[in-house]
């Protein structure tokens, strides 16, 4: 009888060069357990000891009383911080909250990430004007400009054709960060992607093509019609006193081919001969250009008015791969803390706007690697905690959301406390855990987490991953595979070169002034209007 499941990529290498991703840490190979069965090798996590019928009653009443006591905060927001978990759909948040607790030894289902404790929650409809399932450029542009637009374009309206410079001229839409700078607020953004990547670029740039990150990427038509690459637009941001904080990866787009980078010693990408890191220092008084975590730690945030931090040639490393004392890259909470310190100093009078992106959640999902996606979600939660500790919700609106979702799914009827990355162990007819893993109709185990599409369709069976042709082995037998290992890649159904975005709504979490305006199912561009209203504009 044919199975609905298809062969699986345990550890695959994506076409990273084509997609502009980093494959650090995604090595090939199977991770074998020392036990003869996945079930005997898995660690099961205990539910909290205090759980009882009385506990659940008290918990429900306590939550009800907190809701009844809540009153809207209608202060004018002095500061706004927008956190974006790129690709952080609701299934990612659910899995990450369980993963977070299990990393600390508890069952996890009862856990909450930092931002899940915010008092106001809504949903965001993420479609683009021309696409049912969205991309980051169009979605982040919606959040930054207050209008929906096409997939693949940045800061221009829906009447601009993608990758057509001429059609985009005059279609530019001001971003919230531009308006904030013009009104005297300090401004900045932090990301774990290249700072010219779609999400951060939407805070400061206007382009009909998200991939025009360097002048080396511009088309002949774009050059002929005067379109500027995204990296160069960071330097031509002349609203107010300019950008105070820009930190992430992507150094190559700022250095010409005739020079080598400070960070890697490799030649830059720019063809126009411009070194934009030097231009940053020339453009701004009391400015800094830094490229490693030690320089970030040594930065004087009381006197530095403008800081450009480029900590990798391309994307920054995943949180899991960045760990360790010898890592040269800072983590997202540290970058967030430094950004807030600079912005608080420069925005003492008028306040500040900051965007923080955990951008590599998206890339790990594209790789079909849930471990790294969940670990980067945990890092985002820690960055939100840092921002909460450094600000006051009486005058600072914090919004946490995603630009779009991914096809990560969670199912399989696993027992309570089953490892979120593990093989499913279900319950018997009396509601108690089975002694072994659940078995599919093809006589093999399966995991709680999986993807709708991606490379996971084919490789493990020895077939052709380009076309998803199964090998003789079919699905991989997970009985002796450690599916909780960071390098394990979940199974997928539809054969694609890269796992793709999903089109369902994503969550919006809010606290601070006017956070109660997040209350329903909203069009994504509504987030812009809430931030603008909170600032009193």
């Amino acid at each position: 009888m044919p199975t609905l499941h298809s062969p699986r990529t345990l550890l695959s290498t994506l076409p990273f060069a084509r997609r502009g991703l980093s494959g650090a840490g995604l090595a090939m190979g199977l991770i074998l357990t020392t036990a003869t069965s996945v079930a005997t090798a898995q660690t099961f996590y205990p539910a909290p000891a205090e759980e009882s019928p009385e506990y659940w009653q008290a918990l429900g009443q306590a939550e009800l009383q907190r809701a009844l006591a809540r009153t809207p905060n209608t202060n004018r927001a002095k500061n706004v911080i927008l956190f974006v978990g790129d690709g952080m759909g609701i299934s990612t948040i659910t899995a990450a909250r369980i993963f977070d607790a299990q990393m600390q030894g508890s069952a996890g289902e009862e856990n909450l990430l930092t931002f899940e404790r915010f008092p106001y929650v809504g949903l965001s409809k993420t479609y683009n004007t021309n696409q049912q399932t969205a991309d980051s450029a169009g979605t982040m542009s919606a959040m930054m400009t207050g209008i929906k637009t096409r997939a693949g374009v940045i800061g221009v309206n829906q009447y601009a054709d993608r990758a057509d410079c001429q059609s985009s001229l005059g279609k530019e839409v001001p971003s919230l960060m531009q308006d904030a700078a013009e009104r005297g607020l300090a401004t900045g953004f932090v990301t774990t992607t290249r700072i010219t990547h779609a999400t951060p670029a939407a805070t400061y740039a206007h382009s009909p093509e998200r991939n025009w990150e360097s002048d080396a990427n511009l088309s002949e038509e774009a050059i002929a019609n005067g379109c500027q690459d995204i990296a160069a637009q960071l330097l031509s941001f002349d609203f107010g006193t300019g950008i105070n904080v820009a930190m992430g990866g992507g150094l190559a787009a700022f250095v010409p081919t005739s020079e080598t980078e400070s960070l890697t010693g490799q030649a830059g990408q720019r063809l126009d001969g411009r070194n934009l890191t030097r231009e940053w220092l020339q453009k701004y008084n009391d400015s800094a250009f830094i490229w490693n975590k030690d320089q970030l730690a040594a930065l004087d945030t009381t006197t530095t008015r403008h800081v450009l931090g480029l900590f990798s040639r391309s994307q920054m490393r995943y949180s899991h791969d960045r760990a360790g004392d010898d890592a040269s890259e800072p983590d997202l909470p540290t970058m967030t803390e430094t950004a807030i310190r600079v912005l608080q100093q420069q925005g003492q009078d008028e306040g500040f706007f900051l965007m923080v992106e955990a951008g590599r959640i998206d890339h790990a999902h594209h790789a079909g690697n849930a471990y790294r996606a969940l670990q980067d979600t945990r890092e985002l939660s820690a960055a939100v905690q840092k921002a909460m500790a450094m600000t006051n919700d009486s005058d600072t609106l914090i919004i946490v959301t995603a630009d779009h979702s991914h096809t990560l799914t969670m199912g399989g009827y696993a027992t309570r406390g089953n490892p979120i990355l593990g093989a499913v162990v279900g319950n018997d007819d009396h509601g108690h855990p089975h002694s072994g893993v659940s078995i599919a109709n093809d006589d093999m185990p399966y995991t709680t987490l999986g993807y709708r599409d991606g490379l996971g369709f084919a490789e493990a069976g020895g077939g052709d991953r380009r076309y998803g042709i199964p090998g003789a082995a079919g699905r991989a037998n997970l009985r002796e595979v450690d599916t909780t290992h960071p390098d394990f890649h979940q199974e997928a159904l539809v054969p694609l070169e890269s796992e793709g975005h999903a089109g369902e709504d994503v969550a919006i979490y809010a606290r601070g002034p006017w956070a109660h305006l997040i209350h329903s199912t909203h069009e994504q561009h509504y987030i812009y209007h809430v931030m603008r209203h909170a600032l009193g504009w």
Side-chain angles (χ1 to χ4, degrees):
M1 177 177 177
T3 176
L4 294 179
H5 296 279
S6 300
R8 143 91 230 109
T9 300
L10 295 173
L11 298 172
S12 61
T13 51
L14 274 174
F16 287 104
R18 186 179 309 172
R19 297 192 62 83
L21 307 182
S22 170
L26 304 183
M28 296 292 291
L30 299 183
I31 309 301
L32 301 181
T33 66
T34 56
T36 59
S37 162
V38 172
T40 58
Q42 286 187 170
T43 299
F44 292 86
Y45 299 92
E50 67 270 19
E51 288 185 1
S52 66
E54 295 76 19
Y55 167 83
W56 294 118
Q57 287 283 355
L59 188 67
Q61 281 298 312
E63 185 169 351
L64 175 63
Q65 293 307 313
R66 286 195 299 272
L68 291 170
R70 188 174 298 143
T71 57
N73 177 349
T74 57
N75 296 338
R76 186 186 75 83
K78 181 179 181 181
N79 314 307
V80 171
I81 306 176
L82 174 64
F83 284 90
V84 179
D86 197 314
M88 187 180 70
I90 292 175
S91 61
T92 300
I93 293 171
T94 304
R97 86 163 70 107
I98 298 172
F99 179 70
D100 174 61
Q102 291 183 346
M103 294 288 280
Q104 303 171 63
S106 62
E109 293 84 0
E110 73 289 344
N111 187 41
L112 290 173
L113 299 173
T114 300
F115 50 84
E116 292 186 280
R117 301 181 187 276
F118 283 13
Y120 299 101
V121 182
L123 292 174
S124 172
K125 297 164 66 177
T126 63
Y127 65 92
N128 300 130
T129 58
N130 66 331
Q131 211 160 279
Q132 194 173 71
T133 300
D135 94 314
S136 298
T139 52
M140 190 59 182
S141 292
M143 288 187 274
M144 281 290 98
T145 65
I147 64 169
K148 288 205 173 228
T149 191
R150 291 173 175 255
V153 306
I154 292 171
V156 296
N157 67 35
Q158 68 194 73
Y159 300 118
D161 290 332
R162 182 172 182 177
D164 185 328
C165 173
Q166 179 64 41
S167 75
S168 72
L169 300 179
K171 310 296 192 310
E172 300 86 356
V173 185
S175 72
L176 186 81
M177 196 162 87
Q178 291 174 351
D179 288 344
E182 284 190 323
R183 292 168 183 264
L185 278 70
T187 61
F189 63 89
V190 168
T191 181
T192 53
T193 68
R194 297 186 295 269
I195 69 170
T196 50
H197 214 242
T199 301
T203 65
Y204 65 88
H206 307 277
S207 176
E209 176 51 64
R210 59 175 290 175
N211 294 317
W212 290 349
E213 297 185 48
S214 163
D215 68 324
N217 307 126
L218 292 173
S219 66
E220 292 183 5
E221 185 271 338
I223 295 171
N225 285 296
C227 277
Q228 192 177 37
D229 66 272
I230 293 169
Q233 289 188 55
L234 185 77
L235 272 296
S236 61
F237 186 97
D238 291 325
F239 303 91
T241 58
I243 298 172
N244 297 97
V245 177
M247 289 195 289
L251 179 56
F254 289 77
V255 178
T257 56
S258 58
E259 298 183 32
T260 57
E261 303 168 1
S262 310
L263 180 66
T264 65
Q266 299 181 52
Q269 293 179 343
R270 299 197 65 81
L271 303 179
D272 58 8
R274 297 175 64 185
N275 186 313
L276 302 183
T277 66
R278 281 201 298 270
E279 291 187 24
W280 175 275
L281 296 174
Q282 294 163 0
K283 178 182 179 71
Y284 296 121
N285 294 325
D286 301 318
S287 61
F289 165 57
I290 56 178
W291 61 88
N292 61 56
K293 72 174 186 179
D294 292 335
Q295 293 174 340
L296 181 65
L299 186 74
D300 186 345
T301 57
T302 63
T303 60
T304 304
R305 301 181 61 190
H306 302 271
V307 57
L308 173 63
L310 296 172
F311 303 110
S312 67
R313 178 176 172 85
S314 183
Q315 320 286 15
M316 294 181 67
R317 293 167 67 82
Y318 295 109
S319 173
H320 171 77
D321 303 313
R322 200 187 318 118
D325 293 337
D326 60 343
S328 62
E329 297 179 5
D331 60 25
L332 188 63
T334 301
M335 289 193 292
T336 300
E337 177 180 7
T338 303
I340 292 174
R341 293 195 187 283
V342 172
L343 296 176
Q344 284 175 330
Q345 183 70 23
Q346 300 308 313
Q348 290 183 61
D349 297 327
E350 299 298 328
F352 67 82
F353 169 77
L354 172 65
M355 191 284 293
V356 179
E357 183 202 21
R360 304 226 63 199
I361 298 170
D362 174 77
H363 296 165
H365 280 319
H366 279 307
N369 181 222
Y371 185 103
R372 283 176 172 78
L374 302 186
Q375 184 62 40
D376 274 46
T377 305
R378 291 182 77 211
E379 186 175 68
L380 174 64
S381 180
V384 173
Q385 181 64 53
K386 184 71 69 174
M388 291 170 60
M390 297 180 68
T391 59
N392 192 316
D393 66 359
S394 67
D395 69 358
T396 301
L397 172 64
I398 300 179
I399 294 176
V400 181
T401 189
D403 46 358
H404 55 75
S405 183
H406 270 269
T407 71
L408 180 73
T409 60
M410 177 179 168
Y413 301 107
T415 191
R416 176 80 182 273
N418 199 75
I420 190 62
L421 294 168
V424 170
V425 174
N427 290 330
D428 62 22
D429 291 342
H430 298 289
H432 302 295
H434 283 294
S435 59
V437 296
S438 298
I439 300 300
N441 289 344
D442 57 4
D443 196 36
M444 288 191 289
Y446 50 91
T447 56
T448 300
L449 299 182
Y451 290 98
R452 173 188 178 272
D453 49 51
L455 281 171
F457 181 89
E459 263 189 357
D464 187 337
R465 74 176 182 184
R466 292 174 300 172
Y467 307 106
I469 301 171
R475 286 180 62 229
N477 190 335
L478 302 180
R479 284 181 171 87
E480 295 187 345
V481 176
D482 180 4
T483 63
T484 68
H485 192 279
D487 290 335
F488 178 77
H489 289 41
Q490 278 66 30
E491 292 184 286
L493 173 64
V494 178
L496 296 177
E497 286 192 350
S498 170
E499 184 274 339
H501 297 172
E504 74 269 14
D505 300 347
V506 298
I508 316 167
Y509 304 88
R511 63 169 254 165
W514 298 98
H516 60 284
L517 296 180
I518 301 298
H519 65 99
S520 182
T521 300
H522 304 291
E523 294 287 356
Q524 191 167 43
H525 67 287
Y526 173 73
I527 294 171
Y528 165 93
H529 296 277
V530 171
M531 293 188 292
R532 188 179 181 92
H533 180 80
L535 287 163
W537 297 351

